[in-house]
Amino acid sequence: MALEIVSRHGCFGGTVTYYRHASSATGTLMRFSAFVPANVQNAPLLWFLSGLTCTEDNFTVKGGAYRQAAALGLVIVAPDTSPRGADVPDDPAYDFGQGAGFYINATQAPWATHFQMERYIAQELPQVVAAELPVDMRRQGLFGHSMGGHGALTLALKYPQQFTSISAFAPIAAPTQVPWGRKAFTSYLGSDEAAWQDHDACVLMRRSGDRRAMPAILLDQGADDPFLHEQLRPELFEAACAAVGQGLILRRQAGYDHGYFFVSTFIDDHLRHHAAILGGQS
């Protein structure tokens, strides 16, 4: 199945388009949205990875990103968070199964057949987007929220030649040490915790050793987030960055919780952060 346009909408002079395509990575139909400003060519490409229970629609509708993205000349792509469909394994819990792919490649049955989200995001979808959108694939940034913040941090650290700029809102920063991550990794990757290490931003950052530091990472965390102390643990990522000399701008935002009111409040700062690193259209 070729790339299909599901719907297209005018937005701040540009367009928001919802796409659907058959994925070889997941073996399912996958959807994503793309905001393209007016009259751009060779534009920087920014990926937004969403959190638990979300689809490609949550950030697209609630993130409030496109006015600033239009001004900065940034293309933004927001993929779905997991494979979906009647034949795709699922779980009744909100934090596992469909809507909770964790941006990893599952190795355990029954999840391994379809839950190949790392391969989809880092390899397959960039090829699809490069063939369709007016982007410069040499200038890609990653950001995300919650589970998607985990995905943004880990994928950027695993593929530093591909993703240049990084930021996150309330990421699951140490998934091997918190209930959300341990639950998902046990089922997707198996009980051997050594296999989990490749999917923990704190571990990946400490492994980087004396590698040349990437541009500073921006991380916003709501101080009133109910998941902060049990599930997110940004202080562990802060310590990992300090241990290897990686620049980190960690802002603890008083009065903000975990939702999209928080994300939309600070989204412009994140877009300017990425634009400063990636540059404008060329």
Side-chain angles (χ1 to χ4, degrees):
M1 176 181 177
L3 188 61
E4 175 189 357
I5 294 176
V6 177
S7 64
R8 177 164 286 165
H9 315 274
C11 185
F12 296 110
T15 58
V16 171
T17 306
Y18 288 88
Y19 293 96
R20 177 170 57 201
H21 71 111
S23 166
S24 60
T26 68
T28 66
L29 294 178
M30 294 294 292
R31 291 171 57 110
F32 65 94
S33 74
F35 172 73
V36 179
N39 303 316
V40 295
Q41 294 295 329
N42 299 315
L45 172 58
L46 190 54
W47 303 89
F48 185 87
L49 306 183
S50 294
L52 293 166
T53 76
C54 292
T55 69
E56 76 288 347
D57 204 37
N58 295 74
F59 171 78
T60 307
V61 173
K62 298 178 180 180
Y66 300 141
R67 183 190 297 273
Q68 185 65 257
L72 294 170
L74 295 171
V75 171
I76 304 180
V77 171
D80 200 352
T81 56
S82 80
R84 300 179 191 271
D87 297 329
V88 176
D90 200 6
D91 189 276
Y94 79 94
D95 57 357
F96 187 66
Q98 294 187 37
F102 271 82
Y103 305 101
I104 65 176
N105 293 331
T107 60
Q108 303 299 302
W111 311 101
T113 300
H114 298 293
F115 281 70
Q116 299 292 306
M117 288 301 293
E118 178 179 336
R119 181 156 63 97
Y120 177 67
I121 297 296
Q123 299 175 25
E124 182 181 13
L125 189 54
Q127 295 178 12
V128 172
V129 167
E132 179 71 18
L133 301 182
V135 293
D136 181 353
M137 300 302 288
R138 299 167 299 176
R139 295 184 295 154
Q140 298 181 61
L142 263 175
F143 69 148
H145 171 229
S146 192
M147 178 186 72
H150 142 75
L153 294 176
T154 56
L155 294 181
L157 288 168
K158 293 178 78 171
Y159 302 91
Q161 302 306 313
Q162 182 172 349
F163 303 111
T164 304
S165 58
I166 319 170
S167 73
F169 296 92
I172 304 172
T176 62
Q177 300 185 57
V178 303
W180 274 341
R182 295 185 64 83
K183 176 181 179 178
F185 289 178
T186 299
S187 294
Y188 290 149
L189 301 173
S191 59
D192 182 3
E193 296 190 18
W196 303 359
Q197 305 303 302
D198 288 342
H199 308 286
D200 186 303
C202 295
V203 174
L204 292 171
M205 180 58 72
R206 288 183 179 275
R207 280 183 186 170
S208 68
D210 60 359
R211 183 193 65 195
R212 182 183 64 82
M214 60 185 62
I217 298 168
L218 174 61
L219 196 159
D220 270 309
Q221 173 62 60
D224 293 348
D225 189 323
F227 303 115
L228 172 58
H229 301 295
E230 182 181 22
Q231 302 282 17
L232 304 179
R233 305 297 305 275
E235 74 281 1
L236 297 180
F237 187 68
E238 184 178 34
C241 289
V244 297
Q246 169 61 48
L248 175 69
I249 304 163
L250 173 54
R251 309 190 304 184
R252 294 171 170 88
Q253 305 289 6
Y256 289 90
D257 58 21
H258 195 70
Y260 269 93
F261 294 119
F262 159 61
V263 172
S264 63
T265 298
F266 301 104
I267 192 72
D268 285 2
D269 291 347
H270 285 247
L271 297 178
R272 287 189 288 263
H273 169 80
H274 288 277
I277 295 168
L278 298 175
Q281 69 164 321
S282 61

